[in-house]
Amino acid sequence: MNIKEEKIKVILQFLRQYKYDQTFQKLQEQSQIQLDPYSLELITQSIKNYDIKQLEQILNQYVDENTKQQCILKVLEQQYIKLLKLHNVQEAVQLLRNQMTKFCQDEDQKYQYASMIYLPELKVKQEQELIDEVMQLCYKQIGLIEPNRLVTIIQQQQAKQILDCHFHNKLEQDYKIIQKHSCNFQLNIIKQKKNISFCLFSSNGQYKALVHGLSIYLYQFDNQIKEYQKKPRKIPTGQTSVITSIVFSPCNKYLGTSSEDFTVFVYNIQTEKKYKLEGHNAVVQAFNFVLCDQQKKKQKNEYDIYTISKDGWLYEWNESERKGGLKIEEKLLNLHIHQQKELLLLTSQNKISLYQLYSKKQISQTSTIKNNQNSIVDKDFNFVLLFVSDTITQLHLYSISELLLIKVFQPTSSITTLSTQLDFGCMNSNLIAAANSSGQLLVWHIQKSSQPIEIFQVSEQQKEISCFKFHPTQNQLYVYQQKDVKRQSSQQQQVSEDIRAQFLQQRHQFQRHPWGMQQILNFLQRIARQEQMSSNQSSMQEEDKGSSDEDL
């Protein structure tokens, strides 16, 4: 049987199995490849009626002697068990002596059937189950494709389509098995110039949240005009330092942010109620919403909140009440939660750790390269992607179940530097994206090469991309490029210039002393610290003060 004939028989068998009789007949006539459905129907009817003579006559035409004996014995076995279940022992013994023994392979098999008389718990197979077992034995010799093979071929075609096309992750209804797949399905990149540090969508796509300065701007999707409303709801967080993460609850009713001021801000979108979680002793790196454990009563809220800080603590909260804490390890980066699988994944600068969600009992842990800087997981919680900054920046893909490194994704060259922001595709979870320092957006395919499959020049004048996010329900990727950064005030610039001048005046003295190198480093650190402080203060004060949607 050649490949073309096999594929047509797969389709014919599939159509026959799901009762597409007219389509089945039409395809069979056009292809001139017969599936012989009449014999198949006769075999099915013989099994249903326990007509052993008719079954034997049909099988004699198609299968060898050994296969025929196995098929008939399976049917007789079920008839034998039925008689025993009805306590018709005498009829069962006669069936065993007169018919079944002719098809038994050896004496041991005869004794096994005889001993079944004394077994109290015998199960009668369902009619369809018996038919499937018989068909499984003689599919190839009848000219059909084995059921497992049928499933395998369909899966192979799905994988082939995924490899043929960047943006599909399921078998399309109009997919042509023989022809190579081609389509005009493209990723729609929506570019905007706004001073945004985070972009996030609710899981149903109903809300889009942007972080600007120390405020959240919440956009609601308008079903009539099929786009997000122009005027957002401004939500001041009340936090006093840089926001480190933003999260929607699974029900899309709550929204929150964590901050470098050691707090977490939580906002109820429906009631507009808000509160803060305070009690960390370090920067809150990330947090997530967890449905309350049903075994624990007297909960104030439907969700617990898990938070992690840079000093290695994992805290559990219900509303603003802290319920407990666990010291994990230093330099935690992110926490990821899957509610249905009841799993908690923690990433740090050099480890990945998997825990049971409620008991917080460690399941497994693995060491990684010691320069992890960010992590994300796919929506099905099968993979975790790490941003690694070693000699060059790379993306490392791990399987969550085994915590094994699967693949390393690289930028276009060793000179290219990736930004720490990452994202998994939502419509197609095989896609991952990252930005580089030249304003380009790089897209990789998990099942393809370690090199990008697409490179989009998004930012003008090679300005850095501040953030980007795949839309959860549409084939869209939102990309935000920063506006021109406001210049520092003359006073802040003067402080930086004074430190530089002092450094230049004293640099010759440093060369004469053994502690000179340390002093040089101290001056450089002071200059960098001052510029960072100036930049942070300028962005938080200037942008957040009287900010509006146009300021974004």
Side-chain angles (χ1 to χ4, degrees):
M1 189 187 300
N2 59 37
I3 295 175
K4 181 179 178 180
E5 184 179 350
E6 182 183 29
K7 287 179 178 178
I8 292 174
K9 284 201 170 188
V10 167
I11 299 170
L12 285 170
Q13 186 173 326
F14 177 83
L15 294 171
R16 177 72 179 177
Q17 183 178 346
Y18 288 95
K19 307 299 181 185
Y20 290 97
D21 296 326
Q22 293 181 358
T23 310
F24 169 84
Q25 293 294 345
K26 188 175 181 180
L27 179 60
Q28 191 170 238
E29 291 170 5
Q30 290 178 348
S31 64
Q32 297 182 345
I33 296 175
Q34 298 298 311
L35 197 63
D36 202 359
Y38 179 69
S39 297
L40 191 65
E41 191 68 31
L42 287 177
I43 292 172
T44 303
Q45 290 300 325
S46 301
I47 296 170
K48 287 181 177 179
N49 300 328
Y50 289 96
D51 190 339
I52 303 303
K53 287 185 179 180
Q54 184 181 17
L55 179 62
E56 189 171 4
Q57 288 174 1
I58 298 168
L59 293 177
N60 279 333
Q61 301 175 33
Y62 294 100
V63 302
D64 57 41
E65 186 66 23
N66 183 47
T67 305
K68 181 189 76 172
Q69 289 185 2
Q70 292 182 57
C71 291
I72 294 175
L73 192 58
K74 276 188 176 293
V75 178
L76 290 171
E77 177 187 302
Q78 290 306 300
Q79 190 176 1
Y80 177 65
I81 293 173
K82 278 187 176 181
L83 291 171
L84 292 177
K85 295 285 284 185
L86 296 172
H87 302 289
N88 294 333
V89 178
Q90 189 174 358
E91 291 183 33
V93 171
Q94 288 178 356
L95 180 67
L96 177 61
R97 286 177 178 174
N98 299 335
Q99 296 189 57
M100 293 177 68
T101 52
K102 294 190 298 184
F103 299 102
C104 289
Q105 294 180 349
D106 50 38
E107 292 297 319
D108 289 340
Q109 195 170 20
K110 295 177 185 178
Y111 291 136
Q112 286 176 8
Y113 283 124
S115 64
M116 290 171 73
I117 297 173
Y118 307 102
L119 295 176
E121 297 180 357
L122 292 173
K123 292 184 179 180
V124 179
K125 293 176 181 176
Q126 295 292 329
E127 189 177 78
Q128 190 58 49
E129 185 181 358
L130 176 60
I131 293 170
D132 290 342
E133 285 189 6
V134 173
M135 293 301 181
Q136 184 72 33
L137 289 170
C138 55
Y139 255 105
K140 288 184 179 179
Q141 296 176 62
I142 291 177
L144 301 179
I145 309 299
E146 293 182 46
N148 290 342
R149 175 64 178 150
L150 178 65
V151 172
T152 302
I153 289 176
I154 292 174
Q155 289 175 343
Q156 287 174 345
Q157 294 307 130
Q158 179 178 344
K160 182 176 182 294
Q161 180 182 251
I162 291 171
L163 294 176
D164 284 345
C165 177
H166 298 166
F167 304 109
H168 281 121
N169 64 344
K170 63 180 181 180
L171 198 63
E172 298 297 308
Q173 292 182 350
D174 60 348
Y175 179 69
K176 299 173 179 61
I177 292 180
I178 298 174
Q179 297 179 11
K180 185 175 180 180
H181 173 70
S182 61
C183 71
N184 298 320
F185 196 72
Q186 295 295 325
L187 186 62
N188 182 18
I189 297 180
I190 300 175
K191 300 182 285 186
Q192 296 185 356
K193 275 189 177 182
K194 295 181 178 181
N195 293 329
I196 298 302
S197 54
F198 289 97
C199 172
L200 186 68
F201 295 94
S202 58
S203 59
N204 58 6
Q206 192 65 28
Y207 294 102
K208 177 178 71 171
L210 303 180
V211 174
H212 167 63
L214 301 177
S215 296
I216 303 170
Y217 286 80
L218 187 65
Y219 296 79
Q220 189 168 2
F221 190 78
D222 191 326
N223 293 314
Q224 292 184 346
I225 61 175
K226 301 300 181 184
E227 61 181 38
Y228 289 99
Q229 296 172 347
K230 300 297 183 184
K231 187 171 179 61
R233 186 193 312 181
K234 182 180 179 182
I235 308 167
T237 64
Q239 291 167 321
T240 59
S241 190
V242 177
I243 289 174
T244 55
S245 69
I246 180 170
V247 179
F248 274 103
S249 65
C251 65
N252 306 314
K253 190 166 71 174
Y254 298 94
L255 174 66
T257 55
S258 60
S259 171
E260 290 185 358
D261 66 359
F262 306 177
T263 68
V264 171
F265 167 80
V266 181
Y267 177 79
N268 188 317
I269 296 172
Q270 296 176 355
T271 66
E272 299 189 4
K273 179 184 175 182
K274 57 183 77 171
Y275 59 89
K276 272 189 185 179
L277 309 182
E278 297 179 286
H280 278 286
N281 298 313
V283 170
V284 183
Q285 192 69 15
F287 75 104
N288 219 319
F289 293 90
V290 181
L291 282 172
C292 292
D293 191 347
Q294 298 299 318
Q295 298 177 357
K296 297 179 181 179
K297 299 180 179 179
K298 297 182 180 179
Q299 301 280 39
K300 293 181 180 179
N301 204 357
E302 58 187 302
Y303 286 103
D304 285 335
I305 293 178
Y306 286 14
T307 62
I308 58 169
S309 55
K310 278 194 174 180
D311 58 357
W313 278 92
L314 167 68
Y315 285 139
E316 183 180 352
W317 311 72
N318 194 263
E319 278 203 352
S320 55
E321 177 186 350
R322 194 170 76 187
K323 299 166 60 177
L326 180 65
K327 177 71 173 181
I328 304 294
E329 59 186 273
E330 300 293 335
K331 299 179 181 177
L332 288 174
L333 291 177
N334 217 333
L335 84 164
H336 309 282
I337 287 168
H338 195 282
Q339 192 69 54
Q340 285 71 35
K341 295 181 180 179
E342 294 191 2
L343 293 176
L344 165 66
L345 186 78
L346 294 175
T347 56
S348 67
Q349 199 169 31
N350 58 0
K351 288 180 183 176
I352 308 173
S353 306
L354 188 64
Y355 293 83
Q356 293 176 355
L357 183 56
Y358 293 115
S359 66
K360 303 180 187 64
K361 181 180 178 182
Q362 188 178 97
I363 299 171
S364 56
Q365 187 179 72
T366 187
S367 297
T368 63
I369 293 176
K370 296 183 179 180
N371 291 309
N372 302 330
Q373 295 188 24
N374 194 12
S375 66
I376 56 169
V377 296
D378 68 318
K379 62 182 178 181
D380 295 324
F381 215 73
N382 294 324
F383 304 106
V384 56
L385 187 69
L386 294 178
F387 177 87
V388 178
S389 177
D390 200 18
T391 51
I392 59 173
T393 53
Q394 295 177 330
L395 308 180
H396 289 194
L397 185 72
Y398 285 80
S399 66
I400 292 179
S401 56
E402 296 88 11
L403 295 187
L404 293 176
L405 179 62
I406 298 174
K407 206 165 189 178
V408 176
F409 299 97
Q410 300 172 345
T412 49
S413 70
S414 58
I415 304 173
T416 306
T417 303
L418 298 177
S419 67
T420 56
Q421 293 224 30
L422 317 165
D423 200 20
F424 266 104
C426 293
M427 297 292 286
N428 185 351
S429 55
N430 289 296
L431 300 180
I432 54 177
N436 64 17
S437 55
S438 302
Q440 293 178 326
L441 191 69
L442 287 72
V443 179
W444 292 263
H445 194 290
I446 288 176
Q447 298 188 24
K448 298 188 180 182
S449 140
S450 59
Q451 294 295 317
I453 58 168
E454 295 282 354
I455 300 174
F456 304 97
Q457 184 63 53
V458 175
S459 180
E460 301 171 1
Q461 300 174 350
Q462 297 187 341
K463 290 181 180 178
E464 192 171 345
I465 295 170
S466 60
C467 69
F468 59 89
K469 195 71 180 175
F470 282 98
H471 193 280
T473 61
Q474 299 179 27
N475 188 44
Q476 296 174 341
L477 179 59
Y478 283 72
V479 184
Y480 293 92
Q481 172 194 344
Q482 281 199 343
K483 289 184 176 181
D484 295 333
V485 179
K486 294 182 175 69
R487 293 183 178 179
Q488 298 177 4
S489 66
S490 58
Q491 183 179 0
Q492 292 166 341
Q493 287 183 344
Q494 188 60 47
V495 173
S496 298
E497 291 298 328
D498 290 344
I499 296 175
R500 285 191 177 91
Q502 187 180 359
F503 168 66
L504 292 173
Q505 290 175 1
Q506 300 181 23
R507 73 183 190 279
H508 297 294
Q509 300 176 18
F510 300 151
Q511 297 174 2
R512 304 190 189 100
H513 301 281
W515 43 262
M517 183 57 69
Q518 185 61 45
Q519 289 295 327
I520 292 174
L521 292 174
N522 290 341
F523 264 102
L524 294 175
Q525 289 174 354
R526 285 176 62 192
I527 294 170
R529 194 181 303 118
Q530 176 60 34
E531 291 185 344
Q532 182 64 41
M533 288 172 60
S534 300
S535 177
N536 289 345
Q537 290 173 4
S538 174
S539 62
M540 285 190 295
Q541 292 173 4
E542 294 293 330
E543 292 182 357
D544 207 45
K545 182 179 179 181
S547 56
S548 64
D549 189 36
E550 292 182 357
D551 292 330
L552 295 179

